[in-house]
């Protein structure tokens, strides 16, 4: 294992819409393991121009490649001159803890973008620190990026994007999500993950719940926010609970655009349909002075 955090191991590169879709591996001090990430660099970077970036957080069971291959986001990123950064969803490797029953919603592929405090998870599962601090510093050192950032994600990644943006509004220009888990402290997915990663004291979960965080947001820190939710999503009622986030935003007077998309489900067919609108939304925020 290469444990030099400053070194990137090149894995692959593909020309796409006159830009470059690339994949790398590096050692993460935050997660204490090697991590893969994918990055799309738009055509403007070939001329040495520094560009803003949208960070994409994927959902349960995904890696950095799901969005890269399925969403078709490179076209919009090239058009708007935006880099796309796609990290993995959890730490991985032989020494990294995983669910004993190989459950899809705990352990590998299910980091939930929190800093775990409970053993054995706390040894590696510090995805919050990785996304907020380590990864942007690494990206902006090695690639032609400036410090303009937005963040987006799907399902578990939508939870991560909203939660991270609400806790760090100074770091981002905008936030968006597809089918986010907006109230994980009451969602079966969230309860399972948080009880293992954070312990049984529910108060320790509150800082990772977007519906609770929105209530304490300060008006001067409000970010442009866009959410798309499919009406035919099989997880809508039990896991996603968008109505609770709507109520929290109304109580806090937090401005948010929420689109209920008739007939759409939880899949990448949904994401690929509306990803162009999300990138256009972020481009407006990123290009503002």
């Amino acid at each position: 294992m290469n444990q030099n955090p400053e070194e990137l191991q090149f894995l692959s590169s593909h020309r796409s819409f006159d830009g470059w879709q690339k994949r790398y591996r590096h050692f993460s001090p935050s997660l204490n393991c090697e991590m893969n990430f994918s990055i799309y660099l738009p055509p403007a970077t070939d001329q040495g121009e520094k560009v803003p970036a949208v960070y994409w957080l994927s959902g349960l069971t995904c890696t950095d490649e799901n969005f890269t291959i399925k969403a078709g986001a490179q076209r919009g990123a090239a058009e708007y001159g935006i880099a796309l950064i796609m990290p993995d969803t959890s730490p991985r490797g032989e020494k990294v803890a995983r669910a004993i029953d190989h459950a899809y919603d705990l352990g590998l592929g299910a980091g939930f973008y929190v800093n775990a405090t409970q053993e054995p998870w706390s040894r590696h599962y510090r995805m919050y620190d990785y996304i907020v601090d380590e990864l942007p510093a690494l990206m902006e050192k090695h690639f032609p990026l400036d410090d303009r950032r937005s963040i987006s994600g799907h399902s578990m990644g939508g939870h991560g994007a909203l939660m991270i943006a609400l806790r760090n509004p100074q770091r981002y220009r905008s936030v968006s999500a597809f089918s986010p888990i907006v109230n994980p402290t009451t969602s079966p997915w969230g309860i399972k993950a948080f009880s293992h990663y954070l312990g049984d004291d529910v108060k320790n979960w509150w800082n990772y719940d977007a519906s609770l965080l929105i209530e304490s947001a300060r008006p001067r820190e409000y970010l442009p926010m866009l959410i798309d939710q499919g009406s035919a999503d099989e997880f809508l009622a039990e896991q996603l609970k968008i109505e609770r986030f709507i109520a929290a935003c109304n109580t806090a007077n937090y401005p948010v655009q929420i689109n209920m998309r008739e007939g759409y489900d939880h899949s990448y067919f949904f994401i690929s349909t509306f990803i162009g609108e999300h990138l256009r939304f972020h481009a407006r925020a990123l290009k503002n002075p």
Side-chain angles (χ1 to χ4, degrees), residues 217-262:
R218 301 177 181 178
R220 61 185 173 84
E221 296 179 334
Y222 287 173
L223 292 172
M225 182 181 292
L226 170 65
I227 296 174
D228 271 296
Q229 174 62 61
S231 67
D233 192 318
E234 62 269 38
F235 303 113
L236 178 56
E238 182 181 19
Q239 301 282 9
L240 307 182
K241 304 179 183 291
I242 190 65
E243 73 282 353
R244 299 190 180 187
F245 192 72
I246 293 172
C249 288
N250 289 339
T251 299
N253 292 315
Y254 197 110
V256 56
Q257 179 182 344
I258 300 178
N259 302 316
M260 291 298 297
R261 302 294 191 177
E262 187 64 30

Side-chain angles (χ1 to χ4, degrees), residues 155-213:
S155 193
M156 178 186 72
H159 139 74
L162 293 172
M163 174 269 294
I164 285 172
L166 288 167
R167 288 182 60 172
N168 303 276
Q170 73 284 357
R171 287 181 171 268
Y172 302 99
R173 298 289 187 93
S174 54
V175 57
S176 75
F178 290 85
S179 315
I181 306 170
V182 293
N183 192 202
T185 56
T186 67
S187 161
W189 279 336
I191 292 170
K192 181 176 182 177
F194 286 7
S195 61
H196 281 83
Y197 298 154
L198 304 172
D200 293 330
D201 188 344
V202 177
K203 294 193 295 295
N204 294 328
W205 305 2
W206 293 350
N207 276 336
Y208 296 107
D209 188 309
S211 292
L212 301 179
L213 290 168

Side-chain angles (χ1 to χ4, degrees), residues 29-33 91 95 97 116-126:
S30 300
L31 305 176
N32 193 28
C33 66
K95 296 182 179 180
T117 58
Q118 305 299 301
E119 288 287 345
W121 312 102
S122 58
R123 301 174 201 171
H124 298 280
Y125 285 74
R126 301 187 63 81

